[in-house]
Amino acid sequence: MFTGIIEAVGTVRNKQPKGGDLRVEIDSGGLDLSDVKLGDSIACNGVCLTVIDMSAQGFSADISNETLAHTRWQSIAIGQAINLEKALTPTTRLGGHLVSGHVDGLGEIKDRQDDGRSIRFSIAAGQALSRYIAHKGSITVDGVSLTVNAVTGDVFELNIVPHTAQETTLIHLRPGQLVHLEVDLIARYLERLLTGNQPAKADSLTTGFLAEHGFA
């Protein structure tokens, strides 16, 4: 588990096809690896990866075909900066929200505007994910825990304060780029509890449905 509070920005040092999937080497930048051991988890742009090797410069991890199919790791280039966060411990401050590091899908940056000293982004999440995104709720974008400012259809807005922009890769995002999205865990589990074995549908969580089950 993670919090979505980025600890350092690292760099992809190498990508190597291996046995049908992918092995990556990450330069960990300013991330303190003194308490990291083989088998530990590190979120890389919001994707939970397992450390399989370590060096003085960073660590290596394998990326399965399942992960490659649901993320943009296949297109992340050598030399590209990525957000890094070590897995939380029982004493970690939960400054963001509970994040699993399991990407739900990709979003597309639709608009970027300066808003005072902050940056306001509009991101299209698609119908399959937008039902989990709520006004003033939490969402993870490329591993960063953020608060949703507004939702219109399948597009949501975020406000990135100067500190977050400077300490993560979000400052480099431009319209047309894709980002990793992880929706709030509670929303996913709540839907599963309410719908049971029935297939989840985009319009399944209506006001009437919630009232019938005692949630409204």
Side-chain angles (χ1 to χ4, degrees):
M1 297 296 292
F2 306 90
T3 68
I5 303 300
I6 302 306
E7 297 179 88
V9 173
T11 307
V12 179
R13 191 166 67 234
N14 194 23
K15 294 172 64 177
Q16 177 185 1
K18 202 170 185 68
D21 46 45
L22 188 67
R23 177 165 294 179
V24 294
E25 297 178 23
I26 307 297
D27 186 325
S28 57
L31 187 68
D32 179 13
L33 298 180
S34 62
D35 59 347
V36 174
K37 60 183 184 300
L38 297 184
D40 283 355
S41 298
I42 297 178
C44 303
N45 261 20
V47 181
C48 177
L49 299 180
T50 301
V51 175
I52 62 164
D53 194 19
M54 298 179 66
S55 68
Q57 291 76 36
F59 62 94
S60 298
D62 287 330
I63 303 180
S64 69
N65 284 321
E66 172 69 14
T67 301
L68 291 173
H70 292 89
T71 70
R72 56 188 177 88
W73 261 103
Q74 197 72 265
S75 61
I76 290 179
I78 294 174
Q80 184 168 331
I82 57 172
N83 297 318
L84 299 176
E85 181 192 355
K86 295 183 291 187
L88 61 82
T89 68
T91 58
T92 302
R93 290 182 182 274
L94 190 59
H97 70 285
L98 289 176
V99 175
S100 69
H102 302 154
V103 171
D104 291 301
L106 298 176
E108 181 184 355
I109 305 296
K110 304 301 290 185
D111 189 45
R112 170 183 171 141
Q113 299 289 336
D114 290 334
D115 185 2
R117 293 182 301 115
S118 299
I119 305 169
R120 184 175 291 267
F121 285 108
S122 295
I123 302 176
Q127 189 177 23
L129 292 184
S130 61
R131 67 178 181 268
Y132 301 112
I133 302 172
H135 177 232
K136 297 304 178 185
S138 296
I139 192 165
T140 308
V141 177
D142 275 356
V144 184
S145 172
L146 298 166
T147 300
V148 176
N149 282 359
V151 183
T152 305
D154 69 346
V155 176
F156 64 96
E157 294 183 8
L158 302 166
N159 193 72
I160 311 300
V161 298
H163 176 80
T164 301
Q166 293 296 329
E167 297 298 322
T168 71
T169 62
L170 300 184
I171 195 171
H172 303 299
L173 293 176
R174 295 292 185 274
Q177 289 184 268
L178 299 179
V179 291
H180 294 144
L181 299 180
E182 181 183 335
V183 300
D184 191 8
L185 282 169
I186 296 174
R188 278 195 273 141
Y189 282 114
L190 178 61
E191 179 180 65
R192 180 62 174 171
L193 285 169
L194 292 175
T195 60
N197 291 324
Q198 298 177 7
K201 298 179 181 179
D203 58 354
S204 60
L205 292 183
T206 63
T207 303
F209 186 93
L210 291 173
E212 179 183 347
H213 291 80
F215 287 88

